Amino acid sequence: MDAGVLLNWLANTPDFAVPYALAALGLIICERAGVLSLGAEGLMLVGALVGIGAQITLGQPAVSLVLAMLAASLVSMLFAVMVIWLRVNQVIAGLALVFFCQGLTALVGSLAEWTNHATGGIGTLALWPLSSLPGVGRLFEQNAMVWLTLPIFGAVAWFFARTATGLRLRAVGENPQAADAAGIRVAAWRFVAVLAGSALVGLAGAYISVVSTKLWIAGMTGGRGWIAVGLVIFARWSPWKALIGALLFGCIEALIPQLAAAGVQLPQYFVMMTPYAVTLGVMVWVALGKKRSGDDEPGALGQPYVREERR
């Protein structure tokens, strides 16, 4: 691999990594509150569709991304009601949400005639003076969402570790009985966590359609939501570890077109299965070498909470 291919690979990695990072961070917020969320793939599709629809209609990328976040949160209310108040099995509800969103987005996208409708995206934001360095300067020329992802992760990590609100949210996911005894409304906190986390998952989907590909195609998330689910397990519910894992998967995905440009011939189906094969490998590695730490699985993850009536 020559220097030019290597530089292009590294420069394109953040663009591929951002959707994984934002989706994984949204799932961490949900699951820190004790709600197992497997609907990331569907919520990403909702965000991608609403984002590109708003971009085609309004032409304002920032507004499109915000509307995509709101749409994903709105759809996630259905999931939240089912698993928090109706206490439907969270695995089944998450899978049902994915299938529902896949059909809904494909239908709306075709009726609205947004398929393959190219739009303008977000321009490049150079991080001067690093962007002026010879040779490696291109690494510091990324779109605004790449740079914004870093403070988003910093804010969420600080929220969980340093704020009373974040500690209450973690308590709801670790021991809802104790949290309830301390006066914390478990159902309300879990509902807010699902909405907030789903907004970030929707933002991840909108990034793909509005910023990266700049068009809509049915099913365009291509399984990234499922990879994000595995990424959360790899990160052991730690935001910073999730960011590192997202960069790993971004490197893998960014490498594929670079190898093709360099003339390396790879079977199509091998290329398609590579991210999922890596996901399986990472999950096996985590399972074999798992070590308990402060950033481990929430104690009440996936468990519905039934409040005992006080007499």
Side-chain angles (χ1 to χ4, degrees):
M1 182 181 296
D2 59 35
V5 174
L6 178 61
L7 183 60
N8 288 334
W9 173 37
L10 295 177
N12 290 328
T13 292
D15 184 50
F16 287 96
V18 167
Y20 295 119
L22 293 175
L25 186 61
L27 293 178
I28 287 173
I29 294 175
C30 291
E31 296 184 7
R32 276 294 188 184
V35 179
L36 178 62
S37 179
L38 298 181
E41 182 75 6
L43 293 174
M44 287 180 72
L45 285 171
V46 170
L49 176 69
V50 173
I52 198 66
Q55 180 67 11
I56 293 171
T57 305
L58 304 175
Q60 299 292 330
V63 176
S64 301
L65 294 176
V66 171
L67 290 177
M69 295 174 69
L70 293 175
S73 290
L74 181 63
V75 173
S76 72
M77 286 184 183
L78 176 62
F79 170 76
V81 169
M82 287 193 298
V83 301
I84 297 173
W85 280 292
L86 301 181
R87 294 190 287 276
V88 175
N89 182 281
Q90 296 180 13
V91 174
I92 296 175
L95 296 177
L97 180 67
V98 172
F99 298 136
F100 170 72
C101 292
Q102 285 177 335
L104 178 65
T105 54
L107 175 63
V108 174
S110 62
L111 292 178
E113 298 182 352
W114 290 337
T115 303
N116 293 321
H117 191 302
T119 67
I122 297 179
T124 300
L125 181 62
L127 190 63
W128 190 87
L130 296 176
S131 59
S132 61
L133 294 175
V136 298
R138 186 171 171 235
L139 299 177
F140 303 97
E141 296 178 358
Q142 305 289 341
N143 64 73
M145 276 303 304
V146 170
W147 302 122
L148 186 59
T149 298
L150 295 175
I152 289 176
F153 266 79
V156 172
W158 174 81
F159 169 78
F160 279 127
R162 300 295 181 181
T163 69
T165 304
L167 293 176
R168 291 190 185 98
L169 184 63
R170 293 179 62 178
V172 167
E174 289 290 343
N175 192 331
Q177 291 80 10
D180 188 15
I184 299 174
R185 299 177 60 186
V186 174
W189 280 80
R190 286 186 169 183
F191 188 82
V192 172
V194 169
L195 265 60
S198 298
L200 283 178
V201 177
L203 179 61
Y207 181 91
I208 298 173
S209 62
V210 176
V211 182
S212 185
T213 63
K214 303 179 179 65
L215 53 81
W216 161 260
I217 301 173
M220 66 182 302
T221 52
R224 290 178 177 87
W226 297 115
I227 294 177
V229 172
L231 184 56
V232 172
I233 300 173
F234 162 76
R236 306 308 301 165
W237 291 267
S238 167
W240 291 120
K241 291 179 182 178
L243 182 59
I244 294 172
L247 288 172
L248 169 64
F249 283 100
C251 282
I252 296 170
E253 193 171 350
L255 180 61
I256 294 172
Q258 296 303 320
L259 291 176
V264 178
Q265 299 296 324
L266 294 173
Q268 177 185 359
Y269 295 107
F270 175 81
V271 171
M272 293 173 63
M273 79 172 207
T274 300
Y276 304 101
V278 173
T279 303
L280 291 173
V282 165
M283 294 180 69
V284 170
W285 175 74
V286 170
L288 293 177
K290 182 169 59 176
K291 295 180 180 179
R292 297 295 177 184
S293 67
D295 288 319
D296 213 342
E297 178 180 339
L301 180 61
Q303 300 174 11
Y305 176 64
V306 181
R307 191 172 190 268
E308 294 183 0
E309 295 296 332
R310 296 184 176 89
R311 295 181 181 180

